[in-house]
Amino acid sequence: MTRAPEFVEIKDAEELRELLGEVMPRAAQKERPRLHARDREWLAASPFCLVATSDADGDCDVSPKGDPAGFTLVLDDTTIAIPERPGNRRADGFHNILTNPHVGLVYLIPGRNETLRINGRARLVREAPFFDRMVVEGHRPLMAMVVEIDEIFFHCGKAFLRSGLWKPESWTGDTLPSHARLIKEIQQDPMSLEELERYYGATYAEKLYKG
């Protein structure tokens, strides 16, 4: 039997830099500490972001957040707020923020290969005057994550180009079982498959803001 090759692990920053090469000047100088007008335009057009957090021990979580385009509210040049809607109530990322406020955000615009990245420090707010500006379908947010920006920059589109993410002809979602079937098979949910199919069916979207 052929033995799989051993991992050749990178041990330090010097070895990593030798492998990757020097940082391109444009990439090395792209961070900004404050929102530019174009950053505001991007946030106004984005309906989706990923929020990365870690707890005090370094255990990580990445959570998707989505709402109508412009859901992230710009409070000033260095502060943004993201509303929280009803979900599964695990709140893994929020528990992380309570012990380690550092967060990383990636904002997407459908069809665009570039992304907007924001790194900063977050706090959780259960009430604020700006909640009235976050109402969707008559529902105010349950809470909000307020992020003080440390750095912000645009990320190039190579990952999206390589993956063909926005090309419908490359989409293969229908090759996998339905979400209800995955839940039934993997989590051994007590609900029947038929009940799960109904739960995640046509009416699922009607409960997005109702909890």
Side-chain angles (χ1 to χ4, degrees):
M1 184 175 66
T2 303
R3 184 178 179 183
E6 297 291 338
F7 292 130
V8 180
E9 187 175 348
I10 297 169
K11 297 291 188 179
D12 55 46
E14 182 178 354
E15 184 182 0
L16 177 63
R17 182 53 58 205
E18 182 180 353
L19 177 66
L20 298 180
E22 293 302 319
V23 183
M24 295 180 180
R26 186 182 300 111
Q29 301 167 7
K30 65 182 178 181
E31 297 99 337
R32 305 179 300 280
R34 307 172 69 84
L35 290 165
H36 186 278
R38 295 301 190 190
D39 301 325
R40 289 172 176 258
E41 291 174 357
W42 191 279
L43 293 175
S46 176
F48 183 86
C49 77
L50 297 167
V51 180
T53 60
S54 68
D55 64 17
D57 296 321
D59 297 313
C60 298
D61 179 76
V62 177
S63 179
K65 302 295 179 185
D67 241 346
F71 73 101
T72 294
L73 187 64
V74 175
L75 300 181
D76 57 46
D77 284 347
T78 59
T79 315
I80 59 174
I82 301 171
E84 177 63 11
R85 309 297 182 183
N88 61 17
R89 304 173 188 172
R90 281 183 58 106
D92 298 304
F94 293 144
H95 282 289
N96 288 346
I97 288 170
L98 292 176
T99 60
N100 177 6
H102 294 278
V103 298
L105 314 176
V106 177
Y107 279 92
L108 284 70
I109 296 177
R112 285 293 297 253
N113 292 318
E114 303 77 26
T115 55
L116 182 67
R117 292 175 54 177
I118 296 176
N119 296 319
R121 289 152 293 136
R123 51 197 167 102
L124 307 179
V125 177
R126 63 183 300 168
E127 185 58 73
F130 61 77
F131 277 29
D132 290 335
R133 299 163 60 189
M134 294 177 160
V135 173
V136 175
E137 296 186 8
H139 295 273
R140 298 173 91 246
L142 298 174
M143 53 184 281
M145 180 178 70
V146 176
V147 178
E148 303 291 338
I149 296 171
D150 290 329
E151 60 179 7
I152 182 169
F153 54 93
F154 285 106
H155 193 107
C156 74
K158 289 181 179 178
F160 288 79
L161 291 168
R162 291 178 181 130
S163 65
L165 186 66
W166 304 126
K167 295 181 178 180
E169 62 271 21
S170 73
W171 297 349
T172 57
D174 57 357
T175 64
L176 293 171
S178 69
H179 185 61
R181 185 174 292 277
L182 290 175
I183 294 296
K184 185 63 178 176
E185 292 179 1
I186 296 173
Q187 297 183 201
Q188 302 296 313
D189 195 282
M191 294 176 68
S192 69
L193 178 58
E194 292 73 20
E195 290 172 322
L196 286 168
E197 292 284 9
R198 285 196 297 271
Y199 178 81
Y200 290 111
T203 61
Y204 188 68
E206 299 175 1
K207 300 177 287 185
L208 292 179
Y209 296 96
K210 299 177 183 178

